[in-house]
Amino acid sequence: MKSHNKNILLNSTPKQWLERAKESLEILLIDHALCEKKAATTALTIIHRYPDLTKFHKKLSALAREELLHFEQVLRLLISYGFEYRNMKSSSYAKTLNSHISDTEPEKLKDQLLVCALIEARSCERFSALAPYMPNKISKFYSKLHEAELRHASFYLEMYSELFLEPWTQRIKHLSIIESNLITKKDSVFRFHSGI
């Protein structure tokens, strides 16, 4: 599987965010669990919204199952640290990216796949960046998750290429700029995908 992260992410996670993450383990893990659940839901939503894409349903279903497995693993980590899983208000990251998805097909599906790829690529980059800042147990877990998120990002980009027979590189540019601004701007809340 090719690594597309360098192609689509315009910058790395800021050091200020990593320092905050080190001091905010409970919020980081709770929001991480919520992100895994949302990622599974997104894959299932694509299956539901596009019943004709049968060729991709098996892979999307497997991706959703893997995200739910990660959700369960994060829950176990939370319990091991004495933290309690709960719902929290999300950062504006995914909502803002999703607000730039076209309302008309096939552009809507094109943008959805690119937004999914960007979110997975950022998760991949953050797991890798977080590993040195985390306690040993979380560090090992995040190093493993890094590989899974890389596969997921690549899958969404390959699905785009296969469906639309065109390069995704041009269309993703404006979304990459939006993504980059979101993780480098000042943020009112700390979350897994928040800004500084």
Side-chain angles (χ1 to χ4, degrees), residues 30-39 71 85-88:
I30 292 170
D31 197 52
H32 176 189
L34 291 166
C35 288
E36 297 290 359
K37 192 172 65 173
K38 285 174 197 162
F71 170 70
Y85 174 73
R86 62 184 186 273
N87 285 330
M88 288 192 311

Side-chain angles (χ1 to χ4, degrees), residues 45-54 57 60 105-110 112 159:
T45 300
I46 294 172
I47 293 173
H48 177 72
R49 192 177 286 154
Y50 303 98
D52 54 320
L53 300 183
T54 48
H57 288 175
L60 285 162
E105 298 291 2
E107 287 74 22
K108 184 175 183 176
L109 178 56
K110 287 181 181 183
Q112 177 70 78
M159 186 173 166

Side-chain angles (χ1 to χ4, degrees), residues 92-153:
S92 59
Y93 179 83
K95 189 177 178 183
T96 304
L97 281 171
N98 284 318
S99 73
H100 287 84
I101 291 174
S102 174
D103 292 327
T104 56
E105 298 291 2
E107 287 74 22
K108 184 175 183 176
L109 178 56
K110 287 181 181 183
D111 290 340
Q112 177 70 78
L113 295 174
L114 296 178
V115 164
C116 286
L118 278 167
I119 294 172
E120 296 285 354
R122 179 57 66 191
S123 298
C124 173
E125 187 269 343
R126 288 224 150 151
F127 287 136
S128 193
L130 279 165
Y133 288 81
M134 294 289 107
N136 195 42
K137 190 160 48 170
I138 300 174
S139 180
K140 283 181 179 174
F141 178 51
Y142 279 6
S143 294
K144 285 180 188 171
L145 284 189
H146 166 267
E147 295 165 25
E149 304 304 299
L150 183 58
R151 269 190 290 107
H152 298 168

Side-chain angles (χ1 to χ4, degrees), residues 105-107 109-110 113 159-167:
E105 298 291 2
E107 287 74 22
L109 178 56
K110 287 181 181 183
L113 295 174
M159 186 173 166
Y160 182 106
S161 298
E162 212 170 316
L163 276 172
F164 302 111
L165 305 175
E166 66 183 34

